[in-house]
Amino acid sequence: MFLGLDLGTSGLKALLVDDAENIIAESVAPLQVSRPHDGWVEQDPRDWFTACADAIAGLGVDLAAVQGIGLSGHMHGATLLDAAGTPLRPCMLWNDTRAAAQAAAMDADPLWRAVTGNIVFPGFTAPKVAWVRDHEPGIFARIDKVLLPKDALRFWLTGDPVSEMSDSAGTSWLDTGARDWSDALLERSGLTREQMPSLVEGSQVSGHLSGSIAAQLGLPAGI
């Protein structure tokens, strides 16, 4: 059996399939969105972890035969963690537009499009982190890792900060030609490569389920 987890904006969905891709069970745990100001759209990353546990429990079947987990989720969100792996603030989601000024400033620098192959949109991760640098410098100074929402969920499951290429291309920091983080663009953001997750292709193994989380979720450790 294989378990799929989809971190959506309004809910986290769990899908269990057999080796022939027949659906065995499915479950959804709802998520709430906070909009404290016009253009702001946020979620507490800790709610994702709770929703993940709830969705898996909602499958209502024995998970001892699960061989692997696949992840999908909404892109572009800025999940900022401290050195202990604790979220520093609510995650700014893909549809949060507060960083319009930061995005425009980045896009005015031709290096961003040349390296990333894309316009810098306000919803992308890099301008969101620039907004934090400009408006919440105390939080910015404590950033140990910048993760996308799906990758924050993976980090909770495995303890490994990892991302894959397609999601990372939506941060405005990925050198799409080199398939690697751009040190030049990170430097322009006041960040370093050490604050980024490692990169894998979407079909690669990206981590293994930790023993403590496996026990909590009723899944085999190490898958």
Side-chain angles (χ1 to χ4, degrees):
M1 294 192 296
F2 296 91
L3 174 64
L5 298 173
D6 175 36
L7 175 55
T9 308
S10 60
L12 192 147
K13 295 171 279 296
L15 181 71
L16 191 65
V17 299
D18 63 18
D19 292 356
E21 301 182 11
N22 299 305
I23 295 174
I24 298 171
E26 52 189 313
S27 176
V28 180
L31 290 165
Q32 301 299 315
V33 173
S34 174
R35 295 181 173 86
H37 303 286
D38 288 346
W40 293 32
V41 188
E42 299 181 334
Q43 282 178 337
D44 185 339
R46 291 167 292 196
D47 292 343
W48 304 335
F49 313 145
T50 301
C52 180
D54 290 346
I56 291 173
L59 293 170
V61 298
D62 184 358
L63 302 174
V66 171
Q67 303 172 59
I69 299 172
L71 297 176
S72 63
H74 47 81
M75 297 173 69
H76 310 311
T79 314
L80 311 179
L81 306 182
D82 66 13
T86 303
L88 288 164
R89 66 173 326 283
C91 174
M92 291 176 273
L93 300 189
W94 58 275
N95 51 351
D96 187 302
T97 59
R98 78 185 76 177
Q102 287 78 11
M106 289 174 172
D107 201 50
D109 178 348
L111 184 65
W112 292 87
R113 291 199 192 190
V115 171
T116 68
N118 211 339
I119 300 168
V120 183
F121 290 103
F124 283 7
T125 314
K128 291 186 174 87
V129 176
W131 184 94
V132 173
R133 180 195 62 204
D134 295 343
H135 295 275
E136 299 174 347
I139 288 176
F140 182 81
R142 295 172 58 201
I143 295 173
D144 184 71
K145 282 289 184 292
V146 180
L147 297 179
L148 297 167
K150 170 170 63 66
D151 302 330
L153 182 61
R154 184 201 332 269
F155 181 68
W156 177 70
L157 292 168
T158 68
D160 298 321
V162 181
S163 189
E164 49 79 35
M165 299 296 176
S166 68
D167 269 9
S168 297
T171 64
S172 287
W173 289 313
L174 189 76
D175 182 333
T176 52
R179 302 186 80 74
D180 193 11
W181 298 117
S182 167
D183 292 308
L185 296 183
L186 289 170
E187 183 179 359
R188 277 166 162 74
S189 297
L191 298 170
T192 67
R193 177 179 291 265
E194 287 68 34
Q195 291 168 289
M196 296 294 110
S198 59
L199 292 168
V200 297
E201 298 292 345
S203 58
Q204 286 182 266
V205 173
S206 59
H208 295 85
L209 187 63
S210 74
S212 60
I213 299 299
Q216 179 181 338
L217 301 177
L219 285 161
I223 58 171

